């Protein structure tokens, strides 16, 4: 799985590509948390456009980061979830806590 | 009801093998008359059960064994059995509860997903001996049922 982390002012964009399962979860979590330590992040965007699969291990990383952002009064958004991925997000209930958008442009508009 | 086809394989308890296991089952399940969405859901279910064996059953020990048996029945159902010889589950009822996890950093969603995407789920587990999860899903189409 590929990960690209991009800071734009105080927004951290995380672009993931591939299958987000237990093999990837720990590595991805560590990279995101390091970045959250280093930088002043007020908004976190998970771009899942290129994620073809997610299970509870991947979901755990996403929901865990939501909790972290909430603790420090930050915001989180999820972008571009494919139907297979969106189904899992809905079942977990995270879609009620985190707004889902089609693409990154949609968020920068608001 | 007879068996149409089955596969049985075993593999080491390595995180790399989770994607291998779900891809294999996905490919095998495509012999059934089912949609790509169905296959995706089957892959998720396998991923959850195999991940649980590695993470909980074997506490991430890499040199243990997981067995997987997948059967296509004559009645167009797919049956999967995922078996480990790990530490087992003390309280299966509790383990199956949505959002219950013995690990505070996890969500406790695995069994909920397995249940949501199958028609039958049985868990056989004995502390110290291991866990076997049986999942079954029917792909019988309406026109099959009528004919
Ligand atoms: N194969 C297994 N061996 C031993 N214990 C298991 C096994 N499978 C599940 N469990 C127990 O059942 C609990 C619930 O499993 P479930 O998959 O629902 O949640 P989880 O794995 O803890 O979290 P998540 O699946 O969201 O990452 C686990 O926390 C664990 O205690
Ligand atoms: Mg689990």
């Amino acid at each position: 799985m590929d990960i690209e982390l991009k800071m734009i002012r105080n927004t951290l964009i995380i672009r993931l590509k591939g299958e987000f399962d237990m093999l990837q979860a720990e590595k991805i979590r560590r990279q995101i948390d390091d970045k959250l330590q280093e930088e002043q992040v007020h908004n976190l965007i998970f771009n899942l456009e290129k994620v073809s699969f997610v299970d509870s291990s991947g979901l755990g990383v996403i929901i865990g980061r939501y909790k972290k952002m909430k603790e420090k009064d930050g915001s989180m958004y999820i972008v571009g979830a494919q139907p297979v991925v969106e189904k899992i997000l809905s079942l977990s209930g995270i879609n009620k806590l985190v707004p889902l958008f089609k693409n990154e442009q949609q968020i920068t508009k608001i | 009801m007879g068996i149409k086809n089955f596969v049985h394989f075993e593999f080491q308890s390595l995180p790399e093998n989770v994607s291998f296991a779900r891809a294999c089952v996905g490919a095998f399940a495509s012999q059934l008359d089912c949609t790509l969405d169905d296959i995706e859901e089957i892959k998720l279910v396998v991923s959850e059960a195999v991940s649980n064996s590695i993470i909980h059953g074997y506490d991430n020990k890499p040199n243990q064994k997981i067995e997987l048996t997948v059967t296509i029945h004559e009645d167009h159902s797919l049956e999967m059995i995922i078996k480990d010889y790990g530490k087992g589950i003390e309280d299966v009822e509790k383990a199956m509860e949505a959002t219950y996890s013995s690990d505070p950093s996890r969500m406790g969603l695995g069994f909920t997903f397995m249940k949501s995407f199958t028609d039958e789920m049985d868990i056989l587990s004995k502390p110290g001996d291991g866990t076997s999860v049986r999942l079954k899903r029917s792909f019988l189409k309406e026109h099959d049922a009528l004919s």
Side-chain angles (χ1 to χ4, degrees):
Chain A
M1 157 160 261
D2 297 333
I3 178 169
E4 185 193 331
L5 299 165
K6 193 174 170 191
M7 276 303 291
I8 302 178
R9 285 187 297 273
N10 49 24
T11 300
L12 174 62
I13 306 178
I14 303 157
R15 300 190 181 116
L16 297 172
K17 186 177 170 189
E19 301 192 316
F20 199 2
D21 66 3
M22 71 168 285
L23 177 63
Q24 313 296 340
E26 190 44 35
K27 187 179 75 197
I28 300 290
R29 187 193 60 72
R30 211 177 319 115
Q31 289 193 52
I32 297 171
D33 285 357
D34 285 351
K35 202 78 180 169
L36 291 177
Q37 282 269 310
E38 287 163 21
E39 311 266 359
Q40 280 289 330
V41 180
H42 294 173
N43 307 297
L44 191 70
I45 301 177
F46 268 100
N47 185 330
L48 305 180
E49 269 165 26
K50 300 207 168 93
V51 172
S52 54
F53 177 88
V54 69
D55 64 14
S56 66
S57 295
L59 207 57
V61 174
I62 297 175
I63 298 176
R65 286 341 90 198
Y66 164 74
K67 289 182 179 158
K68 271 203 152 178
M69 289 310 289
K70 211 181 150 210
E71 263 169 34
K72 52 179 194 175
D73 280 326
S75 310
M76 193 173 115
Y77 309 89
I78 295 176
V79 155
Q82 303 297 316
V84 266
V85 172
E86 202 183 325
K87 183 157 45 180
I88 305 305
L89 295 174
S90 311
L91 257 178
S92 75
I94 181 79
N95 62 325
K96 297 197 192 89
L97 305 170
V98 178
L100 306 186
F101 290 92
K102 278 222 148 41
N103 50 49
E104 289 176 17
Q105 287 72 25
Q106 269 196 346
I107 300 180
T108 45
K109 275 196 201 130
I110 55 172
Chain B
M1 194 56 80
I3 288 173
K4 211 166 173 182
N5 195 1
F6 79 90
V7 288
H8 173 84
F9 57 101
E10 55 185 55
F11 51 92
Q12 225 179 299
S13 53
L14 287 167
E16 291 88 319
N17 288 338
V18 180
S19 64
F20 168 77
R22 66 171 178 265
C24 283
V25 179
F28 186 68
S30 66
Q31 293 175 14
L32 281 149
D33 180 18
C34 58
T35 65
L36 284 177
D37 278 358
D38 294 334
I39 302 278
E40 286 303 323
E41 293 176 4
I42 291 296
K43 282 161 82 173
L44 176 75
V45 156
V46 173
S47 207
E48 295 300 344
V50 173
S51 300
N52 277 354
S53 290
I54 298 175
I55 297 165
H56 305 295
Y58 293 131
D59 289 323
N60 293 302
K61 282 196 292 285
N63 51 356
Q64 308 296 306
K65 183 174 82 172
I66 297 169
E67 292 176 5
L68 204 111
T69 309
V70 195
T71 308
I72 296 176
H73 292 277
E74 300 269 6
D75 65 357
H76 304 271
S77 62
L78 183 76
E79 184 177 41
M80 295 159 274
I81 297 171
I82 300 95
K83 189 171 165 64
D84 67 60
Y85 299 89
K87 70 166 182 251
I89 304 175
E90 294 276 354
D91 185 343
V92 172
E93 286 299 314
K94 191 168 172 194
M96 279 164 65
E97 277 170 25
T99 72
Y100 169 81
S101 177
S102 50
D103 175 346
S105 73
R106 307 199 73 89
M107 313 307 307
L109 288 170
F111 280 133
T112 307
F113 288 164
M114 289 184 242
K115 214 170 170 166
S116 305
F117 294 128
T118 55
D119 302 311
E120 288 173 32
M121 175 170 90
D122 305 310
I123 300 158
L124 278 175
S125 191
K126 201 167 159 221
D129 282 359
T131 303
S132 167
V133 178
R134 188 186 71 93
L135 299 151
K136 195 170 177 186
R137 172 156 165 173
S138 172
F139 292 96
L140 190 64
K141 300 285 182 300
E142 255 169 69
H143 63 260
D144 296 327
L146 291 172
S147 65

